[in-house]
Amino acid sequence: MENLNKKKTKLSERYEIILMAISVLLIVAFVTGLTLFPEEGNALANSILKLLTHTFGSPIMIITLVILLFLIGICFTKYGDIRLGNEKPKYKTITWVAMMFFCGNGAGTVYWAFLEWGHFFNASPQLNGAEIDEAMKYELSMAYDFMHWGPSAWAMLCVFALPFAYHYHIKKDEELKLSAICKYAVGEKHTHGLFGKIVDFIFIFAAVGSISITAGTSASTIASALSDLLGIPNTFALSVVILLFVAVIYSFTSAVGIEKGMSKISDSNVYLCMVLLAFILIAEPTGFIIDSMLNSLGLMFDEFVRMSTWTDPVNGSGFPQDWTVFYWIYWFTFGPFTGLYVAKISKGRKIKEIIINMLCSGSMGLILFFGIVGGYEQSLRIDGILDVPGMLANGEAESIAVSVINTLPFSKIALILYLFVIVLFLATTLDACAFTLSSTVSKKLRPDEEPNKGLKFAWCLILILLPIAVTYAGTNIDTIKSIVLATGLPLVVLLFIVYFGFLKTMRKDYRGKTKLDIIKESKLEK
C-alpha cells in the first residue's frame, strides 16, 4: 500500500494527471452534447463563427498584418541574432524545415490543395465585390490560395514559436507549456494556479479539436482513394482501419523519439512530395501550370495589402469574413501547438532563422503544393475533362483528389504515391500533436529529454478514437470545427499577455548589448 502511494505521488509530481483527466472528460462531454443535440449545437456553432468572423473580423485582420510586420522587423534587430543555445543544431536544415512543415497542418495541406481554389472560383463574383470574367476567376482563386496559406498564415504559427523557444532554450525553464510562458507577465503564482490550468486546457482543447478534425477529413480521403484503388466499398469500417493503421505508424515514431522517428519520416515525406508534384507537373500542361503559378503569385504580392485588409463594407458579400478571417483564426488555433513543437526542435538556431524559415520555406512549400495541384486542376476544367468547382457545388469534395489523380498517366502508380504521402502527412501531424500534448501535461522536460512514451501513446489513442467516435455518432464535423475555432479569441488575448512578458524579459536580458555583442555571443561552440 505504501509503495502504491509512493508511485501515485511520483506520478503527480511528474505529470499534470488531473489536468489531463479533466481535459479529456470535458472534450468527450462536449462531443457527446453535440451528438445528442445536433440542432442546438449547429445553431451555437453558427453564432460563434459569425461573432468571430464578422464582429471581430477587422481587428483580426489588423492583428494578423501587425504580427507579420513585427516578425519581419525582428529579423533586422539585434534580437534576431540571439542563438537558442551556443551549440550546433541537432537537425540538418532540410530535416528541421520538414518537421516544421509537417507538424502544423500537414495532413490538411494534402486535403485542401485539391479543393480550395474551387471554393474560391465558385465564390469569385464576391472576390472583389463585383462580377468578373472567367479568366480572372481562375487567377484570383489561386492568388487567394497562396494568400491564405502563405506568409501571413505562417506568421500566426511563428509568433508562438519565439516565446516558447526563448523560454526553453535561453531561460532554461523545463516547463514546456503555454501557461509557463505567461509567467513573465503574470508571475509564477498565477501560472501554477487556476489561471495556468485554464490556459493549458484551452491549449489542449484547441490542439485535440483541430487535429481530430484533420484526422477525420484525411481518413475519409484516404478511404476514398483505397476504395478506388482496390475496388472495395468505402465504408465506416474502412475509415476505422485506416485511422488504426496510421495510429500504429505514429505510435512507433513516438516510441522511438523525434530523432529516429519524426525526423526520418519527415525526410522521406519531403522526397515523396517532390516525386508526386513532379509527376503532376510533367503530366502536361507543364507550361500552363508554371505560368498560372507565377501569375497568381504576382497577383497576390501586387494585391497583398488590399487582400489583407479588404472587408467589402459596401457590397457586404461576406467573402473576406467567411474565408480570410476564418483562415486567420483557423491558423491561430494551430499556433500554440506548432510553436511549442518548433521550439523543441530549434535548439542551436537563431531567432531570425526560425522566422525566415517559417515565413519563407513554409510558404514556398505550400505555394508549390497548391500551385501545381491547383494549376493542373484548372487546366482540366478549361479542357472540359474534370470540373472541380462543379463537383464541390454538388457535394463531392471527398472524391475530388481521386478523380483528379485518375486523369494522370499511370494513374494507379500516382494514386499509390498519393496514399503514401497523405498517410505520412497524417502520421507526422499526429505525432507532433501527441508530443506537444504530452509536454503540456509534463511538469518538467529537460532540453535533451522527450515526454514519457506511455503518455505519448495515450494521447495517440485519444487523437485517433475521437474522430472515430465523431464519425460513428454522425456528429456534424463543421459544427465541431466552428466551436474549436472559438478558442482563437482567447488565444489572441493570451498572445498579448505572453508577448508583454516575453519582450520585457528579452529587453532586460540584452539591455546594453549591441548587435555585434550578440553575434559574438552566438558563435557556435567547436
Side-chain angles (χ1 to χ4, degrees), residues 73-94:
I74 283 283
C75 293
F76 296 97
T77 69
K78 65 181 183 181
Y79 303 110
D81 286 295
I82 296 171
R83 189 178 295 278
L84 305 168
N86 289 2
E87 57 186 80
K88 186 179 178 181
K90 190 172 184 178
Y91 307 101
K92 58 184 180 181
T93 301
I94 189 169

Side-chain angles (χ1 to χ4, degrees), residues 372-408:
I372 291 173
V373 172
Y376 179 69
E377 288 182 333
Q378 288 187 350
S379 73
L380 292 178
R381 188 179 189 277
I382 291 168
D383 294 338
I385 299 171
L386 189 71
D387 184 3
V388 170
M391 292 179 73
L392 285 171
N394 293 329
E396 302 173 53
E398 304 303 330
S399 60
I400 286 175
V402 175
S403 300
V404 171
I405 291 170
N406 279 334
T407 65
L408 292 167

Side-chain angles (χ1 to χ4, degrees), residues 84-157:
L84 305 168
N86 289 2
E87 57 186 80
K88 186 179 178 181
K90 190 172 184 178
Y91 307 101
K92 58 184 180 181
T93 301
I94 189 169
T95 302
W96 177 60
V97 171
M99 286 195 288
M100 285 196 298
F101 185 84
F102 295 127
C103 83
N105 195 30
T109 302
V110 188
Y111 177 77
W112 283 106
F114 285 85
L115 309 183
E116 190 162 325
W117 79 269
H119 283 296
F120 297 154
F121 186 92
N122 288 337
S124 54
Q126 305 170 354
L127 284 176
N128 59 3
E131 286 288 343
I132 53 176
D133 61 37
E134 188 162 274
M136 197 61 181
K137 288 182 183 182
Y138 284 109
E139 295 178 15
L140 273 174
S141 59
M142 190 176 288
Y144 264 97
D145 253 4
F146 296 167
M147 175 70 182
H148 291 158
W149 294 77
S152 295
W154 281 93
M156 307 294 267
L157 306 180

Side-chain angles (χ1 to χ4, degrees), residues 176-400:
L176 192 55
K177 57 183 73 176
L178 185 57
S179 62
I181 59 174
C182 294
K183 73 177 183 181
Y184 305 105
V186 301
E188 288 202 40
K189 181 181 177 182
H190 291 295
T191 57
H192 290 130
L194 181 61
F195 172 81
K197 297 296 182 286
I198 293 172
V199 169
D200 288 332
F201 170 72
I202 292 171
F203 174 92
I204 291 171
F205 183 82
V208 172
S210 302
I211 297 303
S212 294
I213 292 165
T214 299
T217 53
S218 298
S220 63
T221 306
I222 296 168
S224 177
L226 270 179
S227 174
D228 182 86
L229 183 67
L230 303 176
I232 57 177
N234 185 355
T235 62
F236 168 72
L238 181 60
S239 295
V240 172
V241 170
I242 288 165
L243 286 170
L244 292 176
F245 175 70
V246 172
V248 171
I249 296 175
Y250 82 84
S251 294
F252 172 75
T253 60
S254 287
V256 299
I258 295 177
E259 191 169 359
K260 294 179 181 179
M262 177 74 167
S263 65
K264 300 298 182 187
I265 289 186
S266 296
D267 279 347
S268 302
N269 216 13
V270 167
Y271 299 119
L272 285 173
C273 283
M274 289 169 65
V275 173
L276 178 62
L277 293 178
F279 202 100
I280 296 171
L281 186 61
I282 63 177
E284 291 293 338
T286 306
F288 174 84
I289 294 172
I290 294 172
D291 290 347
S292 181
M293 286 173 61
L294 183 62
N295 182 76
S296 295
L297 195 60
L299 185 59
M300 182 199 73
F301 282 120
D302 186 49
E303 295 287 327
F304 186 81
V305 174
R306 187 193 71 85
M307 292 166 84
S308 298
T309 58
W310 180 52
T311 58
D312 199 15
V314 177
N315 287 303
S317 66
F319 180 89
Q321 293 77 19
D322 294 337
W323 286 104
T324 303
V325 176
F326 169 84
Y327 261 111
W328 297 160
I329 300 169
Y330 174 81
W331 284 97
F332 217 83
T333 59
F334 278 88
F337 114 74
T338 305
L340 189 155
Y341 190 81
V342 169
K344 176 65 178 175
I345 64 174
S346 296
K347 187 176 182 180
R349 301 284 176 179
K350 289 186 176 182
I351 283 178
K352 66 182 179 184
E353 280 185 82
I354 296 177
I355 297 171
I356 291 168
N357 276 284
M358 290 191 81
L359 297 189
C360 298
S361 303
S363 298
M364 284 170 59
L366 287 176
I367 285 170
L368 273 174
F369 211 106
F370 277 76
I372 291 173
V373 172
Y376 179 69
E377 288 182 333
Q378 288 187 350
S379 73
L380 292 178
R381 188 179 189 277
I382 291 168
D383 294 338
I385 299 171
L386 189 71
D387 184 3
V388 170
M391 292 179 73
L392 285 171
N394 293 329
E396 302 173 53
E398 304 303 330
S399 60
I400 286 175

